[in-house]
Amino acid sequence: MSSTSVDQGAVLERPPRGSKPLNYLNISHGLRSWLLTVDHKRIGILYLISVTLFFFLGGAMAVGIRLELASPQGDLLAAETYNKLFTMHGVVMVFFFLIPSIPAVFGNFLVPMMIGARDVAFPKLNLLSWYVFITGGTLTLIAMVAGGVDTGWTFYAPYSTTYANGWVVLTGVGIFITGFSSILTGLNFIVTIHKMRAPGLTWFKLPLFIWSHYATALIMILGTPVIAITVLLVAVERLFRIGIFDPALGGDPVLFQHLFWFYSHPAVYIMILPSMGVMSELVTCFSRKRVFGYKFIAFSSLAIAVLGFLVWGHHMFVSSQSIYAGMVFSVLSMLVAIPSAVKAFNWTATLYKGSVSYQAPMIYAFGFLGLFLIGGLTGLFLSTLGTDVHLHDTYFVVAHFHFIMVGGAIMGYLGAIHFWWPKMTGRMYSEGWARFAALVIFIGFYLTFFPQFVVGYLGMPRRYHVYPEEFQILNVLSTAGASILGAGYLIPMVYLMVSLFKGKKASPNPWDAKGLEWQTPSPPPTENFPVTPVVTENPYNYPGMEDERDREADREHAPASA
């Protein structure tokens, strides 16, 4: 967040008496005005609606999985149906919710506003990316309705290329097309951040949200073509019987794993880096302090993006990969923990002696810190050869993955929604309900996934729909937690929808936050800023803390009273 010398009178220009202020929501009406819009804010809202639908679709599949696992006999679903259910849950959640959630929704909405620009560099390309996303999602949904796919979201060959009976090719084509949406979005972000910053907004005055999206965009552009080609090669082998991954045709199944994880591990950071950017904004705003170690946090985003491309082999310790290669990948995987820890320590240092307020977005930030810490520490077990051999393909991996992805990414996503909702809609939501929902989600999440660490360590493999009775108690706990978690996700849907019609009108800056996006009305006008802002101050320059520090210094240097 940057403080600026913006002419407030010009930016918050008042409309003539009696007229309704024009903004990006009411400047035009009708379905056509939304479907043909090139306004980055409206495109962000289109993404918000789309990924929310995919989220609840994937969530409904998770309900089916947990209901099946409530009893050990496999008496609710047939094995084939269960295989399709967890595969489609993974495909929908990873490719159609987690990856696009924060970059496509909040990146589109906020990146131009945070850098003082009118729009992204290529507005039409931005709209095209949404249509590409919808096209890929539609094809994947058609595949699901037609019969589904049962390969697991990892599409491991030769099962996916030879033996699976589902709609592998159509699902793969849907994911292949969706990948271009990520590439176009990443390209737009990089060019926009390089070329369209407001006067005075140098690289080290950028909000950390922008740094995290810049790093994310690099991964999108460099990594996404690899998974697109990999999925395409699966389709080529399946359709034309050309030996690429199937050993019976002269292919190499381990090659698939190399290509898949070369993208899919960095893709973890496509999901988590934007969430980290959100955390930086929340922690500084609700502690009323400048972020501790700004440059370290900024460069740690780039370090995560670079190191993320070097660690894919830790997913393949048991794949017949060389033991020496495994040792190298193990060390490199440990290195990724360093920039991640830099962020966590710096956020904690920012909170220290801060004027912390516990509003709903900040509660999600605390939730993120707790869940991401556990997710990160348990990742060390999986990047160590000896323990990974024991834990590989067990529920320990499922728990770790969800602590990072759901706990980290979704906590960031919900924190972002609650933080920028007043800016996006011009309405406030019920703070009490928002705090209650955050608490329910946190409790539900822990109860769902923490028992899975235990049951995984004890040896329960993932992707099995029957299991020994000794694991039932832990699975019942997990299913009960999923019920609470599901209710927790529904509560925000209700009070956010209510706020659209009955919520109190939001001021331009309801949180007293720093940053260009807070210096324009809520909701913003189409052009974002009536006049181009000029940035003159460092980011996160909260004057209250400076005054407090000055008072402390005065007290320290004041002569002792009699």
Side-chain angles (χ1 to χ4, degrees):
M1 293 177 282
S2 305
S3 298
T4 72
S5 63
V6 178
D7 181 349
Q8 294 292 324
V11 173
L12 302 178
E13 190 175 6
R14 293 186 177 183
R17 183 184 295 273
S19 64
K20 197 172 182 180
L22 288 179
N23 56 60
Y24 82 100
L25 291 174
N26 65 11
I27 195 165
S28 58
H29 299 278
L31 190 60
R32 178 187 170 86
S33 73
W34 280 87
L35 295 181
L36 298 180
T37 184
V38 290
D39 185 336
H40 66 99
K41 299 180 289 298
R42 284 195 167 199
I43 294 171
I45 297 295
L46 290 175
Y47 269 114
L48 175 64
I49 297 169
S50 309
V51 302
T52 301
L53 293 175
F54 279 115
F55 173 76
F56 281 102
L57 177 63
M61 295 168 183
V63 170
I65 294 169
R66 288 315 319 171
L67 287 176
E68 166 57 45
L69 293 177
S71 65
Q73 292 84 14
D75 45 8
L76 179 64
L77 301 171
E80 293 78 6
T81 307
Y82 182 79
N83 288 346
K84 291 178 181 178
L85 210 54
F86 72 69
T87 298
M88 293 185 291
H89 166 72
V91 167
V92 169
M93 283 300 199
V94 171
F95 295 107
F96 297 99
F97 175 70
L98 286 169
I99 287 178
S101 58
I102 296 181
V105 176
F106 296 101
N108 264 316
F109 196 94
L110 294 168
V111 166
M113 295 176 66
M114 282 185 165
I115 65 171
R118 180 188 175 95
D119 207 319
V120 292
F122 308 113
K124 292 182 180 177
L125 210 60
N126 200 19
L127 178 62
L128 176 64
S129 74
W130 180 73
Y131 276 104
V132 169
F133 175 77
I134 292 299
T135 303
T138 303
L139 289 177
T140 306
L141 288 178
I142 291 173
M144 292 177 181
V145 173
V149 60
D150 59 355
T151 58
W153 76 275
T154 50
F155 290 94
Y156 268 16
Y159 183 57
S160 60
T161 57
T162 306
Y163 304 106
N165 296 317
W167 290 75
V168 178
V169 173
L170 189 55
T171 307
V173 170
I175 294 171
F176 176 78
I177 291 174
T178 305
F180 287 95
S181 173
S182 286
I183 294 171
L184 296 179
T185 300
L187 177 67
N188 235 332
F189 286 172
I190 289 176
V191 177
T192 303
I193 294 169
H194 269 276
K195 305 299 290 185
M196 299 179 69
R197 301 194 306 275
L201 188 57
T202 59
W203 280 93
F204 292 122
K205 290 181 181 175
L206 285 173
L208 290 167
F209 182 89
I210 298 296
W211 276 98
S212 68
H213 274 71
Y214 186 80
T216 304
L218 292 176
I219 302 174
M220 285 175 166
I221 288 183
L222 297 176
T224 307
V226 178
I227 189 66
I229 288 296
T230 306
V231 173
L232 189 65
L233 289 176
V234 168
V236 168
E237 179 165 311
R238 194 174 174 89
L239 291 173
F240 304 109
R241 308 308 299 157
I242 298 174
I244 302 170
F245 303 122
D246 186 352
L249 299 173
D252 182 0
V254 179
L255 172 63
F256 175 88
Q257 295 190 36
H258 279 289
L259 292 173
F260 180 84
W261 289 116
F262 181 80
Y263 164 79
S264 293
H265 194 83
V268 169
Y269 302 114
I270 293 178
M271 305 176 217
I272 202 72
L273 269 172
S275 189
M276 289 174 163
V278 173
M279 287 305 110
S280 296
E281 303 302 317
L282 297 184
V283 168
T284 54
C285 175
F286 293 101
S287 62
R288 290 289 181 262
K289 278 182 68 181
R290 291 179 185 174
V291 69
F292 182 85
Y294 169 92
K295 289 185 180 179
F296 282 95
I297 296 182
F299 283 117
S300 67
S301 295
L302 297 178
I304 289 172
V306 172
L307 288 172
F309 280 106
L310 306 177
V311 301
W312 77 90
H314 76 236
H315 293 274
M316 301 167 57
F317 287 155
V318 297
S319 69
S320 77
Q321 175 182 257
S322 155
I323 188 69
Y324 299 107
M327 290 171 62
V328 171
F329 281 120
S330 178
V331 172
L332 290 171
S333 300
M334 298 288 182
L335 288 180
V336 177
I338 295 175
S340 301
V342 165
K343 288 181 181 294
F345 280 119
N346 284 17
W347 291 329
T348 307
T350 305
L351 291 170
Y352 178 66
K353 287 193 173 181
S355 179
V356 179
S357 57
Y358 298 93
Q359 288 159 293
M362 191 60 190
I363 294 177
Y364 282 107
F366 281 121
F368 173 94
L369 282 171
L371 301 183
F372 182 71
L373 178 67
I374 292 178
L377 290 176
T378 52
L380 298 178
F381 291 81
L382 301 174
S383 59
T384 305
L385 278 79
T387 48
D388 182 72
V389 171
H390 173 65
L391 299 170
H392 191 83
D393 267 347
T394 68
Y395 258 88
F396 189 96
V397 178
V398 177
H400 160 73
F401 183 78
H402 282 82
F403 262 84
I404 290 289
M405 291 298 93
V406 182
I410 294 185
M411 280 289 174
Y413 181 73
L414 290 171
I417 282 183
H418 287 82
F419 189 51
W420 283 292
W421 181 264
K423 178 59 61 182
M424 298 169 83
T425 65
R427 299 283 180 173
M428 299 300 292
Y429 50 80
S430 166
E431 179 67 22
W433 276 107
R435 293 179 185 182
F436 175 71
L439 189 62
V440 171
I441 289 171
F442 190 76
I443 294 171
F445 181 86
Y446 254 98
L447 193 55
T448 303
F449 293 105
F450 201 84
Q452 295 180 12
F453 279 126
V454 181
V455 79
Y457 177 79
L458 292 174
M460 179 172 168
R462 63 176 180 173
R463 298 177 175 174
Y464 278 40
H465 83 306
V466 294
Y467 56 86
E469 291 186 0
E470 65 198 72
F471 296 144
Q472 186 174 15
I473 292 178
L474 290 167
N475 275 289
V476 168
L477 276 176
S478 194
T479 299
S483 305
I484 298 171
L485 185 61
Y489 286 143
L490 288 173
I491 296 171
M493 282 296 295
V494 176
Y495 64 72
L496 290 178
M497 290 301 102
V498 170
S499 80
L500 285 178
F501 303 100
K502 297 185 177 180
K504 177 186 170 186
K505 287 190 177 178
S507 65
N509 190 0
W511 312 116
D512 291 328
K514 294 292 182 180
L516 292 176
E517 78 272 25
W518 300 109
Q519 300 188 18
T520 190
S522 302
T526 301
E527 68 277 14
N528 293 340
F529 305 96
V531 293
T532 302
V534 178
V535 180
T536 58
E537 296 181 356
N538 290 320
Y540 313 113
N541 193 21
Y542 284 96
M545 292 307 299
E546 285 186 340
D547 295 343
E548 181 62 29
R549 283 195 294 270
D550 291 342
R551 283 194 292 273
E552 285 183 3
D554 291 342
R555 283 195 293 270
E556 289 175 0
H557 294 93
S561 58

